[in-house]
Amino acid sequence: MRISRALGSIVCSGAALLAFMSSAAANDVGGNCCADLEERIAELEATTARKGNRKVSLTISGWVNENVIMWDDGTEQNAYVGTNSVEQSRFRFVGEAKITSDWSAGYTLEIGTQGHPSNQWNQNSPASSSANPNNQDNQVLVRKSFWFVRSKDWGQVAIGQNGTATYHLLDDADFTLTRNVDDAEGPAIYLSQFQLRANGLPLGTNRWTDILRGFNNSTPGDSGRRNVVRYDSPTIANFTGTAAWGEDDLWDVALVYKNEIGDFSVLARVGYGQSNDPGTQFGNSLGTYVVGGTACISSSTTSASSLPPPNQNSHQGFECSWGGAAATIMHTPTGIFVYGGWGKQHIETGNPATNSLLVEPDSQTWFIQPGIEYKWIPLGKTNIFGMYRHDDPGSNPGRSVSASVNFWHGGIIQYIDAAEMSLYAVYGHADGDVIGSAGTAANGIPAGRTSLDAFQEVIVGAKINF
């Protein structure tokens, strides 16, 4: 402040001298020069962003990811515009300070933003009808908030809301441009809340997400963001280990391998986790939803995971376990790559009523995504890919006994180096069948095998980093 005002005084003195030398200029400028200039300097100082202190660095980054989806469920067609939920728009604050030459401390605060979240679209409207505030339109939500202590030799410990060890276990094995457009979770996210049809008619109120399983974006093997204590080891012989523990109780571990072997780049991930917490159920005028824990049976209710009365609020006997592996191998000179993986989820519950309907406690997915990523034009790399994913979802008690779902995807991504921007166009196709029983008929899925109408979609959009 003193330096700024001193500079202002010097400038004003110069202006006053010029005014004295020119009576005409003096008449125009008068004695208001210094006052006006000092007022402007004070205004600039008041609007200048400052970091909190000189010891902790601050980096602000993020991206905006918006898209258009044109869909056809065999009976209806439409086009919607909104935030791409595969990689939600967000901004991130990361701070770090040196303690010694080996040790540092810092924090991460990541905020998600969304207009119309694409994982909430359905045939009726692009506007979200979710009871969960985090899934509603025009929301700002905390994705991550944790502090960490890091050592070059001993690794990092972080505490707070963070990704668990198996968070994006399958997705983060993809190091190509498809990671932010159509990763392992992409096919299920793009379908999400769209209703199922058979022979042109809705199957009750059932959605694709009701027959798919996997507590994080309907993808067995992937975990989510939770309040955890997380440890990341230093990299040793190209391997990095991660372990996390979350309250009441959740734990998981993962191992990552990354290396350059001759002309090939390799990234592989494997992990496993368990939880005896199905989450906490909340409700409002729009319905019920589950927060935290592992909603392996349903994202809207924990009743299937609870004991019958009089102990209905107890989850004794509930356990959800998950695991998987995924890898990408790229031939660096040509850019030809193959990305693939497998994931599984298993459910146990102490509720006898649920057990009778939990005919198939296991859910599995596997996928393969070949492609080529190469810089053919000066703008940046181009990625052309195809993808097949197959799911064998287990039971959703009261809704489905099991299912078999196929996803066919393909697309092109153009990266623009000068703008840190990815332009993308993706085609998706989903079909399969669902098996019901007498216990699921009331919710719209009849006993026996029902063939599902195919669902097609074209997604175009862009993700721009900052």
Side-chain angles (χ1 to χ4, degrees), residues 337-397:
F337 68 88
V338 176
Y339 161 53
W342 165 87
K344 182 177 180 179
Q345 174 182 283
H346 175 79
I347 303 170
E348 296 180 8
T349 174
N351 188 337
T354 300
N355 290 340
S356 65
L357 299 173
L358 195 62
V359 179
E360 180 50 72
D362 293 334
S363 300
Q364 297 189 65
T365 185
W366 66 268
F367 63 92
I368 186 167
Q369 185 186 95
I372 183 170
E373 185 170 292
Y374 195 79
K375 191 172 183 177
W376 285 293
I377 60 176
L379 283 175
K381 289 184 177 180
T382 305
N383 181 304
I384 302 172
F385 72 94
M387 183 180 189
Y388 174 73
R389 168 175 157 172
H390 177 78
D391 281 39
D392 290 308
S395 302
N396 185 353

Side-chain angles (χ1 to χ4, degrees), residues 128-211:
S128 171
S129 59
S130 175
N132 189 337
N134 287 342
N135 293 332
Q136 293 174 4
D137 287 357
N138 303 315
Q139 292 297 308
V140 175
L141 59 138
V142 177
R143 292 175 53 88
K144 295 182 179 180
S145 178
F146 63 88
W147 59 263
F148 63 83
V149 177
R150 177 185 299 152
S151 165
K152 297 177 183 177
D153 296 327
W154 298 100
Q156 174 180 294
V157 174
I159 296 179
Q161 184 166 309
N162 195 1
T164 68
T166 53
Y167 177 54
H168 288 317
L169 176 70
L170 307 181
D171 308 325
D172 284 346
D174 180 7
F175 59 78
T176 74
L177 290 172
T178 59
R179 169 62 185 87
N180 294 312
V181 174
D182 204 4
D183 55 27
E185 295 181 351
I189 291 175
Y190 285 130
L191 278 179
S192 285
Q193 304 299 313
F194 281 99
Q195 293 178 336
L196 295 171
R197 287 187 184 273
N199 298 317
L201 300 175
L203 287 178
T205 59
N206 290 287
R207 307 154 296 176
W208 286 90
T209 190
D210 287 322
I211 65 168

Side-chain angles (χ1 to χ4, degrees), residues 179-399:
R179 169 62 185 87
N180 294 312
V181 174
D182 204 4
D183 55 27
E185 295 181 351
I189 291 175
Y190 285 130
L191 278 179
S192 285
Q193 304 299 313
F194 281 99
Q195 293 178 336
L196 295 171
R197 287 187 184 273
N199 298 317
L201 300 175
L203 287 178
T205 59
N206 290 287
R207 307 154 296 176
W208 286 90
T209 190
D210 287 322
I211 65 168
L212 294 170
R213 304 264 52 81
F215 78 86
N216 197 71
N217 291 324
S218 300
T219 303
D222 274 357
S223 181
R225 301 182 304 275
R226 297 293 185 269
N227 291 304
V228 295
V229 178
R230 171 170 164 159
Y231 170 70
D232 291 89
S233 76
T235 300
I236 302 173
N238 300 306
F239 286 94
T240 304
T242 303
W245 171 84
E247 54 196 8
D248 199 30
D249 284 297
L250 176 156
W251 66 266
D252 59 356
V253 293
L255 186 65
V256 180
Y257 175 78
K258 185 178 181 180
N259 198 9
E260 302 288 331
I261 305 174
D263 288 337
F264 292 89
S265 297
V266 180
L267 175 60
R269 296 169 59 85
V270 61
Y272 176 81
Q274 285 188 358
S275 168
N276 57 21
D277 178 12
T280 303
Q281 183 176 319
F282 295 90
N284 53 40
S285 60
L286 296 174
T288 61
Y289 60 97
V290 177
V291 173
T294 51
C296 300
I297 294 180
S298 172
S299 61
S300 59
T301 176
T302 58
S303 60
S305 308
S306 304
L307 294 175
N311 302 308
Q312 62 191 55
N313 293 323
S314 172
H315 306 305
Q316 184 178 354
F318 172 84
E319 182 179 276
C320 181
S321 59
W322 63 92
T328 298
I329 301 175
M330 173 183 281
H331 183 242
T332 308
T334 62
I336 295 173
F337 68 88
V338 176
Y339 161 53
W342 165 87
K344 182 177 180 179
Q345 174 182 283
H346 175 79
I347 303 170
E348 296 180 8
T349 174
N351 188 337
T354 300
N355 290 340
S356 65
L357 299 173
L358 195 62
V359 179
E360 180 50 72
D362 293 334
S363 300
Q364 297 189 65
T365 185
W366 66 268
F367 63 92
I368 186 167
Q369 185 186 95
I372 183 170
E373 185 170 292
Y374 195 79
K375 191 172 183 177
W376 285 293
I377 60 176
L379 283 175
K381 289 184 177 180
T382 305
N383 181 304
I384 302 172
F385 72 94
M387 183 180 189
Y388 174 73
R389 168 175 157 172
H390 177 78
D391 281 39
D392 290 308
S395 302
N396 185 353
R399 286 192 177 270

